[in-house]
Amino acid sequence: MTIRCEIVSQDRIVYQGDVDMVVLPGAAGQMGILPHHSPVLSVLNFGIITVKAGGNEEHFTVAGGVAEVQPDQVTVLADAAENVEEIDVQRAMLARQKAEERLKEMMTEDKDRYMLMMSALKKSNLRLQAVKKYRADFKNKDLI
Amino acid sequence: MASIREMRLRIKSIKSLAQVTRALETVSASKVRKAVQANQASRSYSEKAWKVLLHLARQPGHNNLHPLLNERLEVRKILVILISGDRGLAGSYNVNVLRNTLMYFDQFSQPVDYICVGKKGRDLLLRKKANVIAEFSELKNPANFIEISPINRLVIDDFLNEGHDQLYLSYTNFHTMTKQETMVRKILPLEVDFSGKGFNATHKNGSSVFTYEPDQKELLDEIIPRFTAMQIYQSVLSSQASEHAARMIAMSNATENANELVGLLQLEYNKARQQSITNDMLDIVGGAAAQTQSGR
């Protein structure tokens, strides 16, 4: 018994396949979705989506979004999403550094930009944490 | 028959015309590539978002879920977003989308107001004495979401304030480089079509009730306007791809025709030139013959 899982971000399809279980970072905490789950519409937090299929696990970072759960289908509409294996560590570190610098310079006058930079910082931190946690080649490296 | 000089001028002007159309074709080719890419990239997201909206619209008691889902008993006024190009020379692209729109809304007895994206649509509508209430033009290629958000805000506020009771999108849907089709879609209020065909079709007839997290009102306030806006954005991208594709094809046809014409004219010109040389020769030969004759 499987459930259809589709993860799309605003510019591409990140993942699609029939899976055994999906774990989502829901607004009310982690949600494990199995086939025949009752219909849910939930906001997603920043976090990790774990997809389990045939003994394998895949991890995706998600920077907010919405998930629609139907008994036979999970659709994740992410603001941004990436497979942890595909994350460019160099770029994420650079982005984090840049965001931190900008935040220091800017302080508070421009609220929109401040929020934007904060979310950029949150995104790169999330990516780096995910890499450290789930990627074998970065297991014991000091990234954060 | 035109004189040789005139023919030479004509050939020259057609040749330069062909050069211009060839250049336009090349420009459109690079634009179409970008536009198609942008269209393809966000397509799956917007289609999935639309599906979520449809699933919301078929919830029991959906009329009370959110004001944007609310079907009004009396439809007094209709608002249409017409998406066309800023420039012509794109074959029948602009005319097609306009004709389709006018034909579609001819059947309505209610007054129809228009919001135009693109100058061509505005000009053509004004000529038809239609009521244009707003215009957006000179969008980037491909358009970005921030450029579109004033349109979104305008139409959603307008709908909520009951300025209009139905909102339609009229645009050109991009399939392939050679196939685009004009389309009119009702965006607000949402309507579910259980026939299993077209944009508003859903595959399951069941109307399972959602649990909302964290909170129904908060969630719906957030996603319904945003996902509706996504539809408008996507149709702009799709129209842009169609426009550049149509222009590229039109220009490539024009270049071909011009080259063909140059070939024909060149043939005629050569004939005429040869004829005139022959005539000159005959004159000389005739003159010489006359002279030898009279010298005898």
Side-chain angles (χ1 to χ4, degrees):
Chain A
M1 192 67 230
T2 56
I3 186 165
R4 180 93 190 145
C5 174
E6 288 174 342
I7 303 174
V8 290
S9 69
Q10 275 170 13
D11 53 0
R12 68 197 175 107
I13 298 174
V14 180
Y15 179 86
Q16 53 184 346
D18 295 312
V19 303
D20 300 321
M21 183 180 178
V22 184
V23 182
L24 301 171
Q30 295 285 98
M31 284 194 298
I33 312 289
L34 293 166
H36 298 302
H37 196 283
S38 68
V40 174
L41 200 58
S42 173
V43 168
L44 295 183
N45 282 335
F46 275 60
I48 306 284
I49 299 175
T50 305
V51 175
K52 293 181 189 175
N56 283 332
E57 273 192 19
E58 280 191 75
H59 305 281
F60 301 87
T61 58
V62 55
V66 178
E68 185 207 8
V69 179
Q70 293 282 355
D72 59 350
Q73 192 167 35
V74 181
T75 312
V76 176
L77 294 160
D79 294 344
E82 268 172 305
N83 192 329
V84 171
E85 297 300 323
E86 289 169 4
I87 289 175
D88 186 338
V89 178
Q90 290 286 309
R91 229 183 91 189
M93 283 173 87
L94 218 69
R96 181 181 61 174
Q97 200 185 340
K98 221 173 177 179
E100 275 171 347
E101 278 166 17
R102 291 262 169 81
L103 278 172
K104 255 182 230 152
E105 285 167 21
M106 193 156 49
M107 298 323 292
T108 45
E109 63 258 33
D110 189 344
K111 207 171 170 207
D112 280 354
R113 269 181 60 82
Y114 185 77
M115 295 303 282
L116 204 73
M117 282 336 293
M118 275 310 269
S119 106
L121 182 62
K122 252 167 87 180
K123 257 185 234 175
S124 1
N125 272 336
L126 171 69
R127 288 200 183 108
L128 292 171
Q129 274 164 10
V131 167
K132 197 176 178 190
K133 194 162 171 195
Y134 295 111
R135 280 247 299 254
D137 46 341
F138 285 98
K139 257 282 136 64
N140 294 313
K141 300 231 173 104
D142 191 24
L143 294 171
I144 295 154
Chain B
M1 201 174 67
S3 77
I4 293 180
R5 218 175 78 83
E6 272 169 30
M7 284 172 86
R8 200 162 44 212
L9 277 177
R10 184 122 188 262
I11 290 172
K12 216 172 133 191
S13 80
I14 291 174
K15 268 187 183 160
S16 71
L17 202 86
Q19 233 160 30
V20 171
T21 53
R22 156 101 15 96
L24 277 173
E25 184 191 338
T26 327
V27 171
S28 299
S30 85
K31 280 191 179 166
V32 80
R33 211 170 310 127
K34 275 189 221 155
V36 168
Q37 217 167 30
N39 179 39
Q40 235 75 319
S42 61
R43 188 166 223 160
S44 48
Y45 185 92
S46 68
E47 273 171 10
K48 298 264 183 303
W50 185 243
K51 281 273 165 333
V52 172
L53 286 182
L54 288 180
H55 293 167
L56 275 172
R58 63 164 198 217
Q59 300 279 300
H62 62 88
N63 262 347
N64 304 322
L65 270 182
H66 191 274
L68 286 177
L69 300 178
N70 198 345
E71 195 108 21
R72 292 181 192 153
L73 290 176
E74 192 195 353
V75 178
R76 286 157 307 167
K77 267 177 126 184
I78 294 171
L79 185 60
V80 180
I81 302 178
L82 172 69
I83 302 172
S84 65
D86 282 335
R87 270 163 273 276
L89 291 182
S92 53
Y93 166 77
N94 287 313
V95 179
N96 278 350
V97 70
L98 184 89
R99 191 193 300 137
N100 189 41
T101 314
L102 290 177
M103 249 159 57
Y104 191 93
F105 291 101
D106 217 27
Q107 48 171 320
F108 290 80
S109 54
Q110 294 92 341
V112 180
D113 290 336
Y114 291 92
I115 291 178
C116 294
V117 179
K119 284 181 194 157
K120 279 283 161 189
R122 175 203 61 184
D123 293 348
L124 292 166
L125 275 178
L126 287 177
R127 209 174 301 157
K128 295 270 175 207
K129 304 252 183 301
N131 195 15
V132 178
I133 60 170
E135 179 220 339
F136 298 86
S137 52
E138 300 287 343
L139 300 177
K140 285 202 191 80
N141 176 51
N144 57 36
F145 194 74
I146 294 167
E147 281 181 295
I148 309 293
S149 51
I151 308 175
N152 300 330
R153 221 168 300 142
L154 178 68
V155 297
I156 287 170
D157 286 351
D158 174 86
F159 185 82
L160 291 175
N161 295 332
E162 307 205 359
H164 296 86
D165 303 302
Q166 288 185 336
L167 173 67
Y168 288 84
L169 254 182
S170 176
Y171 66 105
T172 312
N173 199 19
F174 179 88
H175 290 286
T176 61
M177 292 297 279
T178 47
K179 186 166 175 256
Q180 300 100 32
E181 58 170 345
T182 55
M183 200 158 216
V184 178
R185 252 170 86 192
K186 188 164 150 203
I187 298 291
L188 294 174
L190 277 171
E191 215 167 54
V192 182
D193 171 8
F194 288 108
S195 72
K197 270 181 262 153
F199 264 100
N200 284 15
T202 60
H203 60 292
K204 287 168 288 184
N205 290 333
S207 46
S208 38
V209 185
F210 278 123
T211 316
Y212 300 94
E213 282 183 27
D215 169 65
Q216 175 172 334
K217 190 175 174 312
E218 204 177 304
L219 178 70
L220 295 183
D221 277 349
E222 163 82 18
I223 69 166
I224 293 179
R226 191 153 62 117
F227 285 3
T228 306
M230 201 61 210
Q231 303 308 311
I232 299 174
Y233 177 56
Q234 189 65 38
S235 63
V236 169
L237 290 182
S238 185
S239 294
Q240 281 183 325
S242 304
E243 182 192 346
H244 293 304
R247 179 166 299 127
M248 195 181 95
I249 303 272
M251 287 301 111
S252 125
N253 285 341
T255 312
E256 227 166 81
N257 288 344
N259 286 338
E260 203 175 303
L261 200 56
V262 165
L264 283 174
L265 281 173
Q266 191 76 51
L267 202 68
E268 221 165 285
Y269 168 76
N270 288 349
K271 266 189 200 159
R273 188 172 145 270
Q274 213 150 34
Q275 184 69 56
S276 86
I277 291 170
T278 314
N279 284 345
D280 286 354
M281 294 279 281
L282 280 177
D283 276 357
I284 293 167
V285 171
Q291 257 182 2
T292 46
Q293 234 164 35
S294 64
R296 214 178 262 165

